[in-house]
Amino acid sequence: MTTCLIDRKERCVERLLNSVGRLSRLINVIAGIAITFIMFLTVLDVILRSFRRPIVGTYELVAFSGAIVVGFAIPLTSWLRGHIYVDFFTGKLPQAVRSVFNLTTRCMGIGLFFLIGWNLIKVGLDLQQSGEVSLTLQLPFYPVAYGVAVSCFVQCLVLLADIVKIFRGSYE
């Protein structure tokens, strides 16, 4: 009976970890589409400028897309541990101390990204209520704020998954 319960818990944890990984990949696809859009838009604008026909609002579209690229790429980068970190100091520590250090930094990261996400939602609400739009194309700002906020909450899930991996002993 207890073995069955443990197996069920393990399967549940694995499903949770897989779901967080899939969600991170999904929003990373959106970031990839946005960076591809930036590249095509920039190249097309440069070509059309040589014919004295620039694309109106290129600067705004690149800025909006850039925010999406940066915000939506964070969770998968963290999931794959593709960010730059210096393990010179922590690599010399015993495994137990490293685990405590990793646990502490992940908890701090969850707090930070939750606060960023929460404040981006508040900013998005303010932008939506005020009706603030971009200067040239009149695009509303609030969808980008909401999108990056969602990405911050997904990052919280990634960090929570890291904590689960630390407790399982499968983080390193």
Side-chain angles (χ1 to χ4, degrees):
M1 183 73 169
T2 57
T3 306
C4 183
L5 186 62
I6 292 172
D7 288 342
R8 191 181 316 164
K9 276 185 180 179
E10 282 297 315
R11 283 193 309 267
C12 216
V13 168
E14 282 301 319
R15 268 191 249 138
L16 171 72
L17 293 176
N18 290 335
S19 297
V20 172
R22 279 194 306 272
L23 184 58
S24 298
R25 283 179 180 82
L26 174 69
I27 65 171
N28 193 63
V29 166
I30 297 169
I33 291 168
I35 193 74
T36 304
F37 172 73
I38 289 172
M39 290 186 302
F40 282 126
L41 181 65
T42 304
V43 168
L44 187 59
D45 188 49
V46 168
I47 291 169
L48 290 176
R49 280 181 188 273
S50 68
F51 296 110
R52 301 198 190 286
R53 299 272 185 209
I55 298 172
V56 177
T58 299
Y59 181 79
E60 292 173 1
L61 291 171
V62 167
F64 280 130
S65 298
I68 291 169
V69 168
V70 171
F72 282 38
I74 290 172
L76 185 63
T77 303
S78 183
W79 178 262
L80 298 174
R81 295 174 59 191
H83 50 277
I84 297 171
Y85 65 98
V86 180
D87 60 348
F88 175 76
F89 176 71
T90 59
K92 297 181 186 220
L93 297 173
Q95 180 61 39
V97 176
R98 259 187 291 172
S99 293
V100 169
F101 179 79
N102 287 332
L103 183 66
T104 304
T105 57
R106 295 318 173 267
C107 288
M108 291 170 57
I110 289 171
L112 175 69
F113 279 101
F114 183 82
L115 286 174
I116 293 170
W118 179 259
N119 282 303
L120 280 170
I121 286 178
K122 288 171 44 178
V123 167
L125 286 170
D126 288 344
L127 291 171
Q128 189 174 9
Q129 288 173 351
S130 69
E132 192 165 340
V133 294
S134 64
L135 188 61
T136 306
L137 297 176
Q138 302 293 304
L139 296 172
F141 287 112
Y142 70 89
V144 176
Y146 289 150
V148 176
V150 167
S151 179
C152 287
F153 295 134
V154 172
Q155 175 64 10
C156 290
L157 292 174
V158 168
L159 294 171
L160 185 62
D162 281 350
I163 290 172
V164 169
K165 290 177 193 175
I166 290 168
F167 280 116
R168 291 173 80 198
S170 61
Y171 181 71
E172 297 288 337

